[in-house]
Amino acid sequence: MKNKGIIIGVLAVALLAIGFWWWKGKESKTKDKEVVKIGAILPLTGEAANYGTGLKKGMDLAIKEINSTSSNTPIQIIFEDDKGTPNAGIAAYNKLKSIDRVNYIIGGMFSNVALSLAPMAEKDDVILMSPTASAVEYSNFGDHVFRIYPSDTYDGDFLADFTFNQLGSTNVAILSVDAASTIEVSKIFAEKFKLNGGIVGFTNNYKQGEKNFRTILQKLKSVEAEVIFIPGYIEDIATLLKQAKELGVKKTFLTISTVYDKKLFDIVGDAAEGLIFSAPAYDANSSNAETQNFVNLYKKEYGETPDILAAYGYDVVKISYQAISKSPTKLSEIINNLYNTIDYPGVTGKMNFDKNGDVVKQLKILTVRGKSFIEY
């Protein structure tokens, strides 16, 4: 009996030792895989929530994929709501910087928010990566500011060249929503179109949420312009197109990628037929391996085909992670990693960054045919 007790005691000590070393090993692995936290500032409530939640779904999918397949450097995103306004964006930034102590933030989604955050990020030594801001001024804030959406300069030049050289138009009209980014892309478009030898015969702006375009459309019926450039938000453009069809305005309507969402057809029906717009190289039906992987994962997760916002959300996380994972604790190296990006294979197109942190990526032209988006 005495010997039996000694044996039991020895076994107990051995089991405790094994348990201790197992726990220490697990603790060590946890430390080796310390989670990297980054922030995200998006419009998750309010009038613009549809845009922010669409982008967030792609971001969430990217995080899930990274953390299930990566052998090191797990990543976590702390989401904050900017409600689509600069003031809420600044409050969200201050919370992420002071309380969560992150030094890498994805946002803002809209140019007005991104422009409010950019000087703060540069001053505070925080990297700011916008998924969709297009304002020209965003290029001017320094080495901490990046974006994966083409600037208005890039988009405006591209569309002006297309209109003059491909559509063969020499006279255009411009009708833009009164917002910083659309006013800027209209200005760039007009300057480049005139430089090419064209005429901008009519320009006008309207307030977001406008419900009656009939008076201005009646004027546009009689102008010589063959093409009407209408950069704006999807709801306003849908209203404009419906009323243009009702009034029999026989012009070519041209816009930017804000309409690249199949909900356009739910709002406007067949009144969008023939609409032409610039868009990133994203195509859910592409045979590209990265795109197929993204689309399959998204369908499995959400039961639907991902739209362009989801694609941008996915890309902004994946390209950020590529830079962060190489140097998770050294901000200067993360910045260098971003600048040294070479042809990152994003689902919205191959990406590089220029000296201003602006993305350099392929654009394409799409048009609406039978409630579908097809290449022009």
Side-chain angles (χ1 to χ4, degrees), residues 169-190:
S169 176
T170 57
N171 193 318
V172 300
I174 299 175
L175 178 58
S176 169
V177 66
D178 191 7
S181 62
T182 52
I183 294 297
E184 191 63 36
V185 77
S186 297
K187 176 184 173 184
I188 299 297
F189 175 91

Side-chain angles (χ1 to χ4, degrees), residues 19 25 36 60-61 75 111 147 151 155 169-170 179 229-230 236 245 283 299 302 344:
V36 173
D60 286 337
L61 182 69
I75 191 167
S111 289
R147 57 176 154 195
S151 74
D155 207 7
S169 176
T170 57
F229 184 43
I230 53 170
D236 298 331
K245 183 179 180 182
D283 178 4
K299 286 181 175 178
Y302 300 112
Y344 176 81

Side-chain angles (χ1 to χ4, degrees), residues 175-178 204-208 210 213 231-232 236-237 240:
L175 178 58
S176 169
V177 66
D178 191 7
N204 209 322
N205 300 329
Y206 62 88
K207 297 294 183 183
Q208 184 179 355
E210 177 64 57
F213 293 95
D236 298 331
I237 290 174
L240 190 157

Side-chain angles (χ1 to χ4, degrees), residues 13-319:
V13 171
L15 287 171
L16 283 171
I18 291 169
F20 173 78
W21 288 111
W22 173 85
W23 178 81
K24 289 296 287 180
K26 186 175 182 181
E27 180 186 49
S28 176
K29 288 180 180 178
T30 301
K31 286 182 179 178
D32 290 343
K33 291 189 175 184
E34 185 175 354
V35 174
V36 173
K37 294 181 180 180
I38 66 175
I41 300 175
L42 306 175
L44 300 174
T45 61
E47 293 182 1
N50 183 59
Y51 296 100
T53 53
L55 195 88
K56 183 176 182 295
K57 289 168 77 172
M59 294 174 68
D60 286 337
L61 182 69
I63 289 293
K64 183 175 181 180
E65 181 187 14
I66 289 167
N67 289 340
S68 65
T69 59
S70 177
S71 59
N72 52 37
T73 321
I75 191 167
Q76 174 189 352
I77 295 183
I78 302 168
F79 287 96
E80 295 294 333
D81 181 14
D82 65 25
K83 302 178 178 62
T85 67
N87 286 342
I90 290 169
Y93 172 91
N94 287 331
K95 187 261 184 184
L96 288 170
K97 175 72 171 60
S98 302
I99 298 175
D100 299 302
R101 298 189 179 281
V102 301
N103 60 9
Y104 193 110
I105 296 175
I106 293 172
M109 187 174 183
F110 297 136
S111 289
N112 61 345
V113 177
L115 290 172
S116 298
L117 302 181
M120 300 171 66
E122 190 66 27
K123 173 178 172 290
D124 294 337
D125 205 27
V126 170
I127 296 173
L128 187 69
M129 172 68 80
S130 175
T132 52
S134 63
V136 173
E137 301 93 323
Y138 191 75
S139 305
N140 303 327
F141 288 100
D143 288 337
H144 291 69
V145 176
F146 296 83
R147 57 176 154 195
I148 66 162
Y149 191 89
S151 74
D152 290 330
T153 298
Y154 192 86
D155 207 7
D157 281 350
F158 175 77
L159 283 168
D161 285 341
F162 166 78
T163 304
F164 190 84
N165 297 319
Q166 302 299 315
L167 292 182
S169 176
T170 57
N171 193 318
V172 300
I174 299 175
L175 178 58
S176 169
V177 66
D178 191 7
S181 62
T182 52
I183 294 297
E184 191 63 36
V185 77
S186 297
K187 176 184 173 184
I188 299 297
F189 175 91
E191 289 174 350
K192 186 60 180 292
F193 192 74
K194 291 175 184 177
L195 188 63
N196 286 340
I199 297 169
V200 179
F202 179 95
T203 60
N204 209 322
N205 300 329
Y206 62 88
K207 297 294 183 183
Q208 184 179 355
E210 177 64 57
K211 301 301 182 186
N212 189 351
F213 293 95
R214 291 179 177 83
T215 299
I216 198 165
L217 284 168
Q218 288 287 9
K219 292 180 182 178
L220 286 169
K221 282 181 73 172
S222 60
V223 300
E224 293 184 12
E226 305 99 350
V227 173
I228 305 175
F229 184 43
I230 53 170
Y233 302 118
I234 190 169
E235 291 83 2
D236 298 331
I237 290 174
T239 301
L240 190 157
L241 292 175
K242 282 195 291 186
Q243 293 176 6
K245 183 179 180 182
E246 291 168 4
L247 294 172
V249 180
K250 305 294 185 182
K251 305 282 185 178
T252 298
F253 288 96
L254 176 75
T255 188
I256 55 178
S257 63
T258 48
V259 297
Y260 196 10
D261 186 334
K262 288 196 172 181
K263 78 173 185 178
L264 174 70
F265 307 127
D266 296 331
I267 305 171
V268 80
D270 62 359
E273 185 73 13
L275 176 67
I276 300 172
F277 61 96
S278 61
Y282 172 65
D283 178 4
N285 299 313
S286 171
S287 60
N288 175 275
E290 287 82 10
T291 303
Q292 284 187 336
N293 175 65
F294 163 61
V295 171
N296 291 337
L297 288 172
Y298 194 93
K299 286 181 175 178
K300 183 177 180 181
E301 185 73 16
Y302 300 112
E304 60 187 15
T305 301
D307 63 12
I308 187 63
L309 288 177
Y312 267 112
Y314 183 81
D315 269 357
V316 77
V317 170
K318 294 294 288 287
I319 199 168

Side-chain angles (χ1 to χ4, degrees), residues 305-335:
T305 301
D307 63 12
I308 187 63
L309 288 177
Y312 267 112
Y314 183 81
D315 269 357
V316 77
V317 170
K318 294 294 288 287
I319 199 168
S320 296
Y321 180 75
Q322 176 180 259
I324 293 169
S325 61
K326 296 176 182 177
S327 318
T329 61
K330 297 181 179 179
L331 200 69
S332 61
E333 292 186 13
I334 296 173
I335 291 171

Side-chain angles (χ1 to χ4, degrees), residues 333-369:
E333 292 186 13
I334 296 173
I335 291 171
N336 286 334
N337 293 339
L338 288 169
Y339 276 119
N340 292 327
T341 298
I342 300 175
D343 290 341
Y344 176 81
V347 297
T348 60
K350 287 184 179 179
M351 289 184 275
N352 303 279
F353 294 104
D354 68 14
K355 64 181 181 179
N356 297 317
D358 286 341
V359 74
V360 179
K361 70 197 306 181
Q362 178 187 1
L363 289 175
K364 63 182 179 181
I365 296 291
L366 297 179
T367 188
V368 174
R369 290 285 182 270

